[in-house]
Amino acid sequence: MPFIKIDVLREDLSREKKQELIKKISEAVTTVLNKDPHLTHIMINEIEDDNWGYAGEQVSVLKEQGFSTEKK
């Protein structure tokens, strides 16, 4: 019984995007690990920018300096 925890920054992650993420991860676990999707659990944990650090700095501060999490 796989349990998958996804930690993401609290951004504009809509209900629809969360559903798509859950669906695609479930499909990958079914395909790659041959696990029953009805026994696969996925948890999305949204973390505030102040509570996430990268390169020795809070993400909130990095964003104030122009850092972006968008794909280039």
Side-chain angles (χ1 to χ4, degrees):
M1 176 169 66
F3 180 89
I4 298 150
K5 180 181 174 189
I6 303 165
D7 291 330
V8 296
L9 288 172
R10 184 169 299 218
E11 296 178 318
D12 296 327
L13 193 56
S14 67
R15 183 178 191 180
E16 293 77 20
K17 285 187 178 187
K18 290 177 188 178
Q19 178 57 42
E20 182 180 2
L21 186 59
I22 290 168
K23 180 180 180 183
K24 289 189 176 189
I25 290 172
S26 293
E27 289 171 355
V29 169
T30 299
T31 301
V32 175
L33 300 179
N34 195 34
K35 297 295 183 180
D36 183 346
H38 295 99
L39 299 176
T40 300
H41 300 262
I42 299 170
M43 182 176 79
I44 298 173
N45 185 30
E46 295 178 280
I47 301 172
E48 297 290 340
D49 290 353
D50 284 345
N51 297 334
W52 193 302
Y54 173 76
E57 192 61 77
Q58 287 173 293
V59 169
S60 56
V61 173
L62 292 170
K63 284 183 175 180
E64 290 170 1
Q65 298 170 352
F67 175 83
S68 174
T69 60
E70 295 295 315
K71 183 179 176 183
K72 293 181 182 181

